[in-house]
Amino acid sequence: MTMQFLDFGVFVKLRNKIMKSYHSKRIISLTTDFSWLSEGIGIMKGIILEQAPDCQIIDLCHTISSYSTINGSRQFETILYLPVGIHLAIVDPEVGTHRKCLALSVHRGDILLGPDNGILMNAASVLGGIIESYVINTDTFHSTVFDGRDIFAKVAGLLASGNYNLSDIGYKIDPEKLKTSPLNDFLYLDEINNAKIIHINSFGNIVINIKSLQINNVINKFFKIQIENKSVISQVKENFASVPIGTFVITDDGYGRYSIAMNRGSAKEFFNAKIGNNVNIIMVRSI
Amino acid sequence: MTMQFLDFGVFVKLRNKIMKSYHSKRIISLTTDFSWLSEGIGIMKGIILEQAPDCQIIDLCHTISSYSTINGSRQFETILYLPVGIHLAIVDPEVGTHRKCLALSVHRGDILLGPDNGILMNAASVLGGIIESYVINTDTFHSTVFDGRDIFAKVAGLLASGNYNLSDIGYKIDPEKLKTSPLNDFLYLDEINNAKIIHINSFGNIVINIKSLQINNVINKFFKIQIENKSVISQVKENFASVPIGTFVITDDGYGRYSIAMNRGSAKEFFNAKIGNNVNIIMVRSI
Amino acid sequence: MTMQFLDFGVFVKLRNKIMKSYHSKRIISLTTDFSWLSEGIGIMKGIILEQAPDCQIIDLCHTISSYSTINGSRQFETILYLPVGIHLAIVDPEVGTHRKCLALSVHRGDILLGPDNGILMNAASVLGGIIESYVINTDTFHSTVFDGRDIFAKVAGLLASGNYNLSDIGYKIDPEKLKTSPLNDFLYLDEINNAKIIHINSFGNIVINIKSLQINNVINKFFKIQIENKSVISQVKENFASVPIGTFVITDDGYGRYSIAMNRGSAKEFFNAKIGNNVNIIMVRSI
């Protein structure tokens, strides 16, 4: 009986199985504009799990405004809060053309996959910047209409399997040659004439392209906010429950930018706000 | 070769890895009013998996009517059908105020996490009642606007990791001091003047706060149902396919309450029903 | 110390745990018309994971048009792109009646579960055809209104656990006696008077019941498409980015049928298209 146990080959197989399992407990996240109506999300997961059966797949967001790389850039940037992993961003109006398919390694240790339209760049930046950028060799994959499945999910699975490196799936490109981000931020809340709505959440809170790092300098101050042809005067607060129900508030969006919200109401409905709308802001003495 | 094998330290590490893996195959479920538009759901999963990489996360419901603790209470109560695990309910209109964050252990073996607004109480009850209740020590977490991520998901991950106990994350509180449930049920289908709509599903079936445990006593009986300014006469049946297509039926909702449905139609559309609407019921002789 | 190690029983338990874990890394996919509003999806996952804690569950599609077995057949057929597994299709207008609950084994190695209304048949066909078909013995389960939970998810979990075979959960039936598919395809794009809309995706692309295997024979040709009382003339192209923005295109849907799309626009909105609408097609010389 002990002889059966002292079988080194069995031991090695056991160990390898455990180690492989350990390795492939990779996090893969998906950000798309497919909407939850799409079978495409499930199909991409199938392709990934075929290659890497033990990985954990996180749906980060599938309701990016159709073709909006600016909304996609903001949403994808929140992968900062996900564990190190392989992160896909598929907002790809040029699918089927000769736009490049990218795989970027970044300093935090993640790999970012998506089309070369700037959508990966904000996320790459908050994760410490690009180490290496690769153009996926799409000739080795067969895709006509659904690159999310036939290229990006396949590459994600191959990389997560532990059997492939970035250099196996494409060729290096100088990061300077990549398309830049469509999302550019103002750094302070101040008099601003052309801020943009970059996201609207399900409570109707409106996220704008102004960083909130300096929020402590403007807490309790009042600003006039104009979106399209409507305007309100609103106070900056640490959170939206700090103002009476039905009142507007400017606060952090939870990810480092300002959000225009109405406590238990919908700022989106009030302004009939849409992603891409201009936002004009002026500081005012008081309400 | 056998000597390499007879390495007790390696064996212990192997065993620990397996045991830990076994331990952390925990079920964690999420119930929120974030809607599927939100990146917040994915972010919470990332925070959990960072601490407990092998747990299985189940999205129970993310479409609780915004801020509705009565709808949330009904939906969260269905965790009765989930395996023993750590269950989060984040419907939290008072986020950012001094309302407490709770962690409850219940007799079935689950841990329930959520704000102290009553939303955990129906679920706690169907799971055998509270054993211990803890107030999460929020000073040790840094949250301003998104407690779901910064407090509840973090605590869920820590508990699921197997490295923390309830006593590590907060202090005990007498369960009698917790907010009570906003969802109170009638126990029999009878003449009732102020029942409430507590849930509406995607087929338009309307769930009301009347328990269906005694459904066998009223099978085939007729009731007049009035919601807002419309009314119908409907029969109690075991399921909605027991009446002709287009006909109303009162039946079990699948979770122990009565549901007002139209076979292959939408009771919601007929009544223009909303969560919280009053429902008046009278038994009638026949149709 | 070595004696502790040379414990054959411990070794066997370790091995069994690993093997069982290996076995139960099964893929289970879910296709329903519950919509993402439903707690039912999460509940089904709980029931499955109770029996098979390590399986990977993929949501393929939960937005099948309510009760539409033709839309369900098309969506479920895309499991061709998922790994071998146990696949559930719950579009079940006759739930609660005496329609049969089926479990089919197919030549690729998958098991398909769903009601006997034809919804499994297209998928069975693309997976190589049925090997054996079983009628689930519903007397051994207790279901009144939610067979997805009480029968189909339970059976999926039992089969995925590795402890049950098809013959344990029902009795054999001649596949010839099963309901046939509601989705019948035309094999070529040609003059067709009664094609049908079988799916519409979130970009508004319209999928019709005409196979695109022969697309190379009609690339660049023009067709007049009529849906309800509107018509357009459109060219066949390999993908939708091959035509100018705002222009109609006929292309592969990514799964082997033709799709009528507008580059960065919504064909659905243009035609006010609905699943089941008739589509008339005539080849034309040129635009």
Side-chain angles (χ1 to χ4, degrees), chain C residues 187-188 210-217 252 256-258:
Chain C
L187 299 180
Y188 308 97
I210 306 178
K211 293 279 193 181
S212 58
L213 195 64
Q214 311 283 337
I215 190 169
N216 286 333
N217 296 341
D252 181 71
R257 289 190 183 82
Y258 286 104

Side-chain angles (χ1 to χ4, degrees), chain A residues 5-9 11 14-15 18-19 22 25 27 36 56-63 74-75 78-84 199-203 205 238-242 251-255 262-265, chain B residues 1-2 4-6 10-11 14-15 17-18 21 25 33-47 49-57 59 66-67 92-97 144-146 149-150:
Chain A
F5 192 44
L6 298 173
D7 176 335
F8 190 63
F11 171 70
L14 267 172
R15 194 200 54 191
I18 291 167
M19 291 306 143
Y22 177 76
K25 285 267 160 42
I27 294 286
W36 287 99
Q56 288 266 21
I57 303 177
I58 296 176
D59 295 297
L60 180 55
C61 185
H62 293 296
T63 53
R74 188 271 183 183
Q75 294 295 86
T78 67
I79 59 172
L80 176 63
Y81 285 86
L82 297 185
V84 172
H199 183 61
I200 301 173
N201 78 7
S202 63
F203 296 100
N205 300 350
E238 279 179 347
N239 60 59
F240 66 80
S242 304
T251 186
D252 181 71
D253 72 342
Y255 302 94
M262 188 195 281
N263 187 12
R264 298 205 207 181
Chain B
M1 210 151 85
T2 54
Q4 291 181 48
F5 192 43
L6 298 173
V10 167
F11 171 71
L14 266 172
R15 194 199 55 191
K17 201 177 285 289
I18 291 167
S21 144
K25 285 269 160 41
D33 63 352
F34 297 172
S35 99
W36 287 99
L37 298 176
S38 176
E39 76 290 338
I41 301 165
I43 295 294
M44 286 177 65
K45 292 178 185 173
I47 299 294
L49 291 171
E50 184 90 50
Q51 305 295 331
D54 291 316
C55 66
Q56 288 266 20
I57 303 177
D59 295 296
S66 292
Y67 315 121
D92 194 6
E94 297 163 305
V95 62
T97 67
T144 52
V145 294
F146 189 5
R149 172 189 68 197
D150 299 326

Side-chain angles (χ1 to χ4, degrees), chain C residues 123-154:
Chain C
S125 173
V126 299
L127 297 176
I130 296 172
I131 299 175
E132 289 186 323
S133 55
Y134 283 83
V135 175
I136 296 170
N137 188 349
T138 53
D139 290 347
T140 62
F141 303 96
H142 301 284
S143 181
T144 52
V145 294
F146 189 4
D147 286 4
R149 173 189 67 196
D150 299 327
I151 297 175
F152 293 112
K154 191 66 181 289

Side-chain angles (χ1 to χ4, degrees), chain A residues 10-82:
Chain A
V10 167
F11 171 70
V12 169
K13 278 186 201 153
L14 267 172
R15 194 200 54 191
N16 285 357
K17 201 178 285 290
I18 291 167
M19 291 306 143
K20 192 173 170 77
S21 144
Y22 177 76
H23 175 86
S24 61
K25 285 267 160 42
R26 295 294 298 262
I27 294 286
I28 297 184
S29 79
L30 305 178
T31 299
T32 76
D33 63 352
F34 297 172
S35 99
W36 287 99
L37 298 176
S38 176
E39 76 290 338
I41 301 166
I43 295 293
M44 286 177 65
K45 292 177 185 174
I47 300 294
I48 291 168
L49 292 170
E50 184 90 51
Q51 305 295 331
D54 291 316
C55 67
Q56 288 266 21
I57 303 177
I58 296 176
D59 295 297
L60 180 55
C61 185
H62 293 296
T63 53
I64 302 299
S65 181
S66 291
Y67 315 121
S68 173
T69 52
I70 197 168
N71 182 218
S73 292
R74 188 271 183 183
Q75 294 295 86
F76 191 53
E77 192 192 282
T78 67
I79 59 172
L80 176 63
Y81 285 86
L82 297 185

Side-chain angles (χ1 to χ4, degrees), chain A residues 8-283:
Chain A
F8 190 63
V10 167
F11 171 70
V12 169
K13 278 186 201 153
L14 267 172
R15 194 200 54 191
N16 285 357
K17 201 178 285 290
I18 291 167
M19 291 306 143
K20 192 173 170 77
S21 144
Y22 177 76
H23 175 86
S24 61
K25 285 267 160 42
R26 295 294 298 262
I27 294 286
I28 297 184
S29 79
L30 305 178
T31 299
T32 76
D33 63 352
F34 297 172
S35 99
W36 287 99
L37 298 176
S38 176
E39 76 290 338
I41 301 166
I43 295 293
M44 286 177 65
K45 292 177 185 174
I47 300 294
I48 291 168
L49 292 170
E50 184 90 51
Q51 305 295 331
D54 291 316
C55 67
Q56 288 266 21
I57 303 177
I58 296 176
D59 295 297
L60 180 55
C61 185
H62 293 296
T63 53
I64 302 299
S65 181
S66 291
Y67 315 121
S68 173
T69 52
I70 197 168
N71 182 218
S73 292
R74 188 271 183 183
Q75 294 295 86
F76 191 53
E77 192 192 282
T78 67
I79 59 172
L80 176 63
Y81 285 86
L82 297 185
V84 172
I86 299 171
H87 305 286
L88 287 74
I90 319 288
V91 179
D92 194 6
E94 297 163 305
V95 62
T97 68
H98 291 289
R99 64 91 187 81
K100 298 180 184 73
C101 296
L102 301 179
L104 313 180
S105 65
V106 296
H107 281 283
R108 195 181 72 164
D110 308 76
I111 292 170
L112 313 186
L113 302 175
D116 181 24
N117 59 23
I119 196 177
L120 305 179
M121 302 310 264
N122 279 67
S125 172
V126 299
L127 297 176
I130 296 172
I131 300 175
E132 289 186 323
S133 55
Y134 283 83
V135 175
I136 296 170
N137 188 349
T138 52
D139 290 347
T140 62
F141 303 96
H142 300 284
S143 181
T144 52
V145 294
F146 189 4
D147 286 4
R149 173 189 68 196
D150 299 326
I151 296 174
F152 293 112
K154 190 66 181 290
V155 168
L158 293 174
L159 294 173
S161 74
N163 299 321
Y164 291 81
N165 296 311
L166 281 178
S167 57
D168 297 322
I169 55 98
Y171 59 90
K172 265 196 195 180
I173 186 173
D174 180 352
E176 294 295 317
K177 295 190 175 158
L178 303 179
K179 293 277 196 309
T180 55
S181 172
L183 168 51
N184 297 294
D185 288 299
F186 294 92
L187 299 180
Y188 307 97
L189 186 60
D190 205 341
E191 180 160 338
I192 295 177
N193 274 315
N194 52 349
K196 289 256 184 285
I197 297 180
I198 61 172
H199 183 61
I200 301 173
N201 78 7
S202 63
F203 296 100
N205 300 350
I206 294 169
V207 179
I208 55 180
N209 61 337
I210 306 179
K211 293 279 194 181
S212 59
L213 195 64
Q214 311 283 337
I215 190 169
N216 286 334
N217 296 341
V218 288
I219 284 285
N220 292 326
K221 295 200 170 153
F222 289 89
F223 291 83
K224 184 179 171 197
I225 304 282
Q226 189 197 348
I227 299 175
E228 298 294 296
N229 57 358
K230 282 185 114 170
S231 63
V232 296
I233 290 174
S234 175
Q235 201 172 9
V236 179
K237 287 285 185 186
E238 279 179 347
N239 60 59
F240 66 80
S242 304
V243 297
I245 288 177
T247 305
F248 271 94
V249 61
I250 302 169
T251 186
D252 181 71
D253 72 342
Y255 302 94
R257 289 191 183 80
Y258 285 103
S259 167
I260 300 160
M262 188 195 281
N263 187 12
R264 298 205 207 181
S266 171
K268 174 193 177 180
E269 281 181 22
F270 177 86
F271 286 111
N272 191 26
K274 288 176 182 46
I275 285 166
N277 281 167
N278 267 323
V279 181
N280 297 326
I281 298 173
I282 308 174
M283 197 187 294

